[in-house]
Structure formats: C-alpha cells, structure tokens
Amino acid sequence: METLSLDFHERPEPEMSARALAFYAAMRSRRTVREFSPRPVARALIETALRTAGTAPNGANLQPWHFTVIGDPAVKHRIRMAAEAEEREFYAGKAPAAWLEALAPLGTDAHKPFLETAPWVIAVFAVNSFVDATGGRQQTYYAKESTGIACGFLIATLHQAGLATLTHTPSPMAFLNEICGRPAQEKPFLLLVVGYPAAGAKIPAHAARKKPLEDIATWL
Ligand code: IYR
C-alpha cells in the first residue's frame, strides 16, 4: 500500500471549542426554504460546493455519486412537470394517512414552483456500479450512505456560502434518469434546489424546533 503523511493540524483546546461552537452556530441557522428568488447564483459557487461534496468519506473511495446541475429553464420545467405529477398522486392518496399527518405542519402540497424559480436544481445520483478504465463493470459499496454524507457536505457548504437550499425527494424519481441522461445503475437520491430565498420567505415554525441533545444522544 502506498502511503502519504497525514496533514493534521493540532489546535489548542480553547480554539477547538471556539471553532466547534462557531460551526454549530452557523449550521443552526440553516433552514430548508421553499420560496425561492429567481436571482442568479454564480456557477463558481456551485462548483466549489460540489468539490466539497466530493471530499466526503465513502465506500472504498470509489466516490459513488453523480451530480447533474440544471440551470436550463427548459430542463427545470420538465423536472417540475414530472415531479408534480408524482406529487399529485402522493398527496391524493398514495401516501399513507400517517405520513400526510406528519407533513401537515410543514404545509407542503403537490405544487413545486421552486423547481423552476430557483437558479439551480442539482439532481444527485447514488452510483451502484460504473464502467472502469479497463472497460469492466466495477461495483461500488455503501453508495447510499456515501451519497448521503456528500449531500450533507454540499448543503453545509451552500449554507456557509450564504445560499438557501431545499432537499426535495419526489417519489418515485426514476424520471430523473431519463431527463438527466444517467444510466440505470445510478439511482436518483434527491433533488437539491439552490438559490436565494424569496424576499419575505417564511418557514414553518415546526421546522425551527430541533430536538435537544438529551433526546438525540446517549452516553455509555
Ligand atoms: N415528497 C413530497 C412529500 C414530502 C415528504 C417529506 I418526508 C418531507 O419532509 C416533505 C415533503 C413533497 O415534496 O411534497
């Protein structure tokens, strides 16, 4: 195995605490936004956020993710139409009553105008296998987990940059393979809507309530 020296930068403990607290404070202010402004966002910002996503820990370092970044209004329109068709079925009866009840405090429905309003929509795919340099098919490992972590990095970076995001998961999402031209081995994972919030955008109060530490962690 070829090795490299680890570039580890040790910090004094007070600095460690201060940095952790500062990052927590920054992330705590993140909110999922559903009302977007059409204001453009520079492509370079999205590129940096995607490079960050690409640093996520993942199975066997096969980096089993693909991001299709959609800025073309015609493609965004197709995605909106396909997503709304799925969502209409979901809200009109496909979803179990308990699920709809859980969603009620968020006030969501089948209308997804943000898929056209926001400047960028990123379709994220978890890659289950790919064709390697020798032309053989290479299986990946933990594609979903890896892609989930990469999405966390992506969302955190975009928030840190000062942008709003919405993680959107119309179900099923197979239409994304066709629209984005991705092979069947790449499973649609989520749509990330990126942009500035609309002026005066509101969020459901419910979404701002985060569980206290005692409710999400135990110590042994
Ligand atoms: N995909 C639907 C429903 C939905 C599901 C969950 I779980 C949410 O947190 C929010 C919405 C929609 O986008 O409306």
Side-chain angles (χ1 to χ4, degrees):
M1 180 185 66
E2 193 195 344
T3 60
L4 297 172
S5 295
L6 177 66
D7 184 18
F8 181 78
H9 175 71
E10 176 143 356
R11 305 172 194 282
E13 272 200 34
E15 190 186 325
M16 292 169 74
S17 305
R19 287 173 64 97
L21 282 168
F23 191 67
Y24 167 48
M27 292 310 294
R28 169 173 78 184
S29 71
R30 185 203 58 79
R31 292 288 172 266
T32 290
V33 162
R34 289 188 176 77
E35 296 164 75
F36 281 84
S37 155
R39 190 174 155 195
V41 165
R43 174 176 162 152
L45 271 174
I46 308 297
E47 289 178 352
T48 302
L50 290 170
R51 286 195 178 95
T52 307
T55 69
N58 67 89
N61 200 31
L62 292 173
Q63 303 162 58
W65 40 63
H66 184 84
F67 304 92
T68 300
V69 188
I70 302 138
D72 181 336
V75 182
K76 286 193 288 181
H77 178 72
R78 283 183 70 194
I79 290 180
R80 177 184 178 181
M81 292 300 115
E84 287 185 337
E86 299 293 1
E87 298 293 2
R88 274 193 295 274
E89 284 188 35
F90 176 87
Y91 285 97
K94 216 171 83 184
W99 192 346
L100 292 179
E101 231 170 86
L103 287 178
L106 297 178
T108 54
D109 61 27
H111 296 100
K112 307 297 175 190
F114 47 75
L115 290 171
E116 288 193 86
T117 319
W120 299 109
V121 174
I122 306 176
V124 183
F125 296 85
V127 176
N128 286 330
S129 73
F130 61 93
V131 178
D132 66 17
T134 68
R137 188 152 282 284
Q138 163 88 58
Q139 189 201 322
T140 64
Y141 305 94
Y142 298 103
K144 271 191 180 175
E145 292 83 346
S146 304
T147 305
I149 299 168
C151 285
F153 280 29
L154 180 58
I155 292 165
T157 307
L158 292 167
H159 172 66
Q160 288 284 86
L163 290 168
T165 58
L166 164 62
T167 38
H168 178 47
T169 51
S171 169
M173 286 191 275
F175 63 84
L176 287 175
N177 287 84
E178 208 242 302
I179 295 177
C180 300
R182 302 310 304 175
Q185 299 78 18
E186 300 187 6
K187 299 295 167 204
F189 188 71
L190 55 78
L191 279 173
L192 194 69
V193 183
V194 186
Y196 291 95
K202 295 263 191 291
I203 57 146
H206 170 80
R209 288 180 212 123
K210 298 304 176 198
K211 290 181 180 176
L213 182 60
E214 305 71 60
D215 291 4
I216 63 167
T218 52
W219 306 74
L220 299 179

